[in-house]
Amino acid sequence: FFPVCIPRANRRVCAVMSGLIRQLRPLARVVASRRYSSVQAAANSSYTQSVQQYPATQVTTLPNGLRVATEQTPHKTATIGLYIDAGSRFEDASNNGTAHFLEHMAFKGTAKRSQHQLELEVEDLGAHLNAYTSREHTVYYAKCFSKDAEKAVDILADILQNSTFSANQVETERSVILREMQDVNNQPAEVVFDHLHATAFQGTPLGRTILGPEENIRSITRDHLKAFVQQHYTAPRIVLAAAGGVNHDDLVRMATARFSGLAQGDASPPAAPCPFTGSEVRVRDDSLPEAHIALAVEGAGWDHPDYYPLMVLSMIVGNWDRATGGGQNLGSKLARSVSNNHLAHSYMSFNTSYSDTGLWGAYAVCDRNTIEDFVYELQQEWMHLCTGVSEGEVSRARNKLRASLLFSLDGTTQVCDAIGSQMLNVGRRIHPAELEARIASIDVSSVKDVANRYIYDKCLAVAAVGPIEQLTDYNRMRSGMLWLRV
C-alpha cells in the first residue's frame, strides 16, 4: 500500500518500512498466539473451576432403606421427585403394561384427596406435577416454589401410598391408554425402537414394550395395580431426590414423617438377565413415504467403565437432519457424506443403556432408493472407528459430550432427574468433576479399543419399517462388520 500512498521521493522510506513490517510479522504472530493461548488457558481454568465448585450431593438413608438425595442451589424453585426401581423390565408376559398403567392412575385421587382436590391444590400452588415410566424406572415428580416444598412432598407421598385405583377411574384410563397406543403405533420412530428391543432382547423382559400388548391393557384390574405396588414400591427401591432451593435436613425430616410406613423388605426378585441376540425385524409397508431403520450392537450398562467411551463413539458418528444443513462443513464424516450425497432425510446415533446391558447404534429416515447406500456408509464409518479414528475427531467428540452433560445441569428438573437416575443406576450421584475426569481420560487408543470390542465383527440387531425393499440383506450387513486386515 505504501507505494500508492507515498510520493516517489519517499519510496526509500517506504521500502524501509515494508522491510520493518516483514520483520515484525513473525513477532505479531507470536504475540497473537500467546494471547490466544492465555485466553484459552483462562477459559479452561474457568471451566475446570466451575465444574469443581458444583455443589455436592447430600445423601441420607432412612431406617427403612429409602434414600434422600439433594443438591441445594440459590434457586427460588425446586424439583422434587420419587424415583422407583420398577419399570416394564420387572413385569412378566401376563402383567406387561402394569407399571405404565400405574403412572396414569397416579393423579386420579387418593384416600385423602379426590382427583378434583388434587388438581386444585397443585394449581393453587402454581406447581407442576408429572410422571413417566421407562423400562427400568417409574418416576413421579413435582416442580414448585421452594417455600412449597413440604406441600409437594406431602402430595407425592399421598400419591405413592394412598392412591385408590377406583374401578371407574381404571376403566377411564384404560380407554386413554388404548388411544395412546394407537398414537404410538402411528409414529414409525417409536415402532422401530420397540421392534429393535424386541429382536435384540427377544424372549426377555427388555424385549417387551412399556405400554404392554393390547390384550393386557384390556385385562389389567385394580388388583393387578395394587399387587405391583405392594411388590415393587418398597423403601429400598425408592429415591426421594430434590434439586434447587430445598434444604437437605428439611427434606429428610419431611421424608421421615411421610415415608416411614413404606415396607422395608424388597419382595422383588432381581432383574432377570437379558442376553443380546443378533437378529432382524422387517415390517415392509410401501404406503409409507420414507423408510425408518435402526441398526445396533450390544452396548454397556450404566455403571460399566466403557459407558463413556461408547458415548464418545456415538458423538463421533454424530447426527444430521436435512433441515439443519451444514454439508461439507460438518464435523462428522458420516454427516458430510449423507448431506452431500442425499442419502437420508435424517439420522442420529444413540447409546441406550440399562443396568447391565444396552444398545449402541444409529437410527435413520431414508428414501426407499437410498437405504442400501446409507447402510454401507454407516458401516464404513463404524469400521473407521475401529481402525483409523483421529485425535481431532476424538477431541471434538469429547467437547460435544462435555457440552451435552453440562447442558443437562441447566434447571432444577434436569438436575433432579440426573440425581434420581444415577442413585438408582449406579448407587450414587456422580459429581461433574468426576465426569470431566472420565471424559478427559478418553483418548484415541481407548476409543479404538472399545470400538473393536463392541463393534468389530459383532452381530447386529436390525429393525426396519416402511418401504424397505432395498434394505441390505442381513448376512451382507453382518459381513460389513469387519474388514479383512493384512
Side-chain angles (χ1 to χ4, degrees):
F1 296 99
F2 288 103
V4 177
C5 303
I6 300 176
R8 283 185 190 177
N10 294 326
R11 283 186 180 174
R12 174 178 286 181
V13 176
C14 172
V16 171
M17 293 179 66
S18 297
L20 183 60
I21 290 173
R22 283 195 296 271
Q23 293 176 8
L24 289 175
R25 270 178 191 156
L27 180 60
R29 291 194 190 100
V30 171
V31 172
S33 176
R34 288 178 178 173
R35 183 180 300 166
Y36 173 79
S37 299
S38 63
V39 171
Q40 188 71 15
N44 290 338
S45 176
S46 176
Y47 165 75
T48 303
Q49 290 175 358
S50 65
V51 169
Q52 292 174 344
Q53 293 171 1
Y54 195 81
T57 304
Q58 294 180 272
V59 180
T60 298
T61 302
L62 302 187
N64 62 359
L66 184 141
R67 288 165 288 174
V68 181
T70 64
E71 285 183 14
Q72 186 173 6
T73 58
H75 288 83
K76 297 299 182 183
T77 61
T79 300
I80 305 169
L82 288 167
Y83 291 78
I84 309 168
D85 194 14
S88 61
R89 184 174 184 176
F90 297 92
E91 302 166 342
D92 55 36
S94 64
N95 70 349
N96 180 211
T98 305
H100 178 258
F101 209 120
L102 274 170
E103 173 205 324
H104 277 256
M105 295 299 300
F107 311 125
K108 303 306 175 185
T110 70
K112 294 171 56 178
R113 299 173 172 90
S114 66
Q115 181 180 355
H116 176 71
Q117 290 172 326
L118 178 61
E119 293 173 354
L120 190 61
E121 185 174 355
V122 172
E123 188 173 347
D124 288 344
L125 294 175
H128 174 76
L129 195 62
N130 209 341
Y132 67 85
T133 309
S134 68
R135 280 181 165 82
E136 291 190 320
H137 303 148
T138 301
V139 178
Y140 305 97
Y141 68 93
K143 186 174 177 65
C144 62
F145 290 110
S146 299
K147 62 184 179 64
D148 298 323
E150 187 154 10
K151 295 179 180 178
V153 172
D154 188 68
I155 291 173
L156 290 171
D158 194 24
I159 287 171
L160 184 75
Q161 300 171 92
N162 304 315
S163 290
T164 55
F165 308 133
S166 69
N168 290 337
Q169 291 291 0
V170 169
E171 293 305 318
T172 300
E173 288 308 304
R174 194 189 313 280
S175 300
V176 172
I177 295 172
L178 289 171
R179 288 197 299 271
E180 181 183 347
M181 174 177 283
Q182 292 177 352
D183 293 338
V184 169
N185 290 337
N186 289 328
Q187 301 176 33
E190 296 285 345
V191 174
V192 163
F193 276 97
D194 279 343
H195 283 317
L196 184 65
H197 280 80
T199 191
F201 301 115
Q202 53 189 268
T204 72
L206 281 180
R208 304 188 188 107
T209 64
I210 296 172
L211 270 66
E214 183 176 344
E215 55 270 23
N216 281 14
I217 297 173
R218 293 188 181 278
S219 63
I220 288 174
T221 65
R222 180 176 184 269
D223 291 338
H224 290 108
L225 301 177
K226 291 180 70 67
F228 191 89
V229 169
Q230 185 176 4
Q231 182 178 13
H232 298 288
Y233 284 23
T234 57
R237 302 176 70 86
I238 299 176
V239 173
L240 177 63
V246 58
N247 179 269
H248 180 75
D249 293 334
D250 290 343
L251 192 64
V252 171
R253 173 183 55 80
M254 300 173 201
T256 302
R258 290 168 176 83
F259 295 102
S260 58
L262 285 172
Q264 297 186 25
D266 189 354
S268 302
C274 297
F276 178 91
T277 302
S279 53
E280 66 172 355
V281 171
R282 298 180 183 228
V283 182
R284 182 175 174 182
D285 184 352
D286 290 343
S287 67
L288 293 178
E290 295 99 15
H292 298 256
I293 59 174
L295 288 75
V297 294
E298 184 176 13
W302 289 107
D303 202 25
H304 198 282
D306 294 332
Y307 173 77
Y308 288 101
L310 283 170
M311 288 293 292
V312 169
L313 284 169
S314 186
M315 292 292 177
I316 295 174
V317 177
N319 55 74
W320 179 83
D321 191 297
R322 65 178 181 179
T324 62
Q328 194 61 36
N329 299 316
L330 296 168
S332 165
K333 290 177 61 179
L334 179 61
R336 290 198 300 271
S337 177
V338 170
S339 173
N340 294 335
N341 297 298
H342 310 289
L343 300 182
H345 292 255
S346 65
Y347 85 88
M348 69 171 187
S349 55
F350 60 84
N351 182 32
T352 303
S353 290
Y354 299 103
S355 59
D356 55 352
T357 186
L359 291 173
W360 185 95
Y363 162 76
V365 181
C366 304
D367 284 326
R368 64 187 69 202
N369 296 322
T370 61
I371 302 173
E372 188 174 14
D373 291 336
F374 173 81
V375 170
Y376 174 81
E377 290 294 335
L378 174 64
Q379 293 194 281
Q380 289 293 300
E381 176 67 7
W382 286 359
M383 292 303 97
H384 168 70
L385 297 178
C386 300
T387 58
V389 66
S390 68
E391 175 58 40
E393 290 173 302
V394 174
S395 176
R396 185 186 300 113
R398 283 199 304 262
N399 288 333
K400 289 174 66 178
L401 182 56
R402 285 188 180 103
S404 67
L405 293 174
L406 289 178
F407 291 159
S408 68
L409 300 178
D410 288 342
T412 60
T413 302
Q414 295 94 316
V415 174
C416 181
D417 196 61
I419 295 171
S421 299
Q422 290 179 8
M423 289 295 295
L424 291 180
N425 292 327
V426 301
R428 64 187 180 92
R429 167 73 159 135
I430 303 176
H431 193 274
E434 181 182 347
L435 288 179
E436 165 57 27
R438 290 189 184 189
I439 295 170
S441 67
I442 300 171
D443 56 16
V444 173
S445 176
S446 59
V447 166
K448 286 183 179 179
D449 175 63
V450 170
N452 275 277
R453 284 190 284 112
Y454 284 86
I455 303 173
Y456 195 85
D457 199 17
K458 299 299 180 183
C459 291
L460 281 164
V462 181
V465 174
I468 55 172
E469 182 182 9
Q470 287 196 8
L471 180 61
T472 312
D473 177 75
Y474 182 85
N475 290 323
R476 187 173 166 193
M477 282 189 278
R478 179 62 182 86
S479 66
M481 296 301 291
L482 58 87
W483 281 348
L484 295 177
R485 301 179 179 182
V486 294

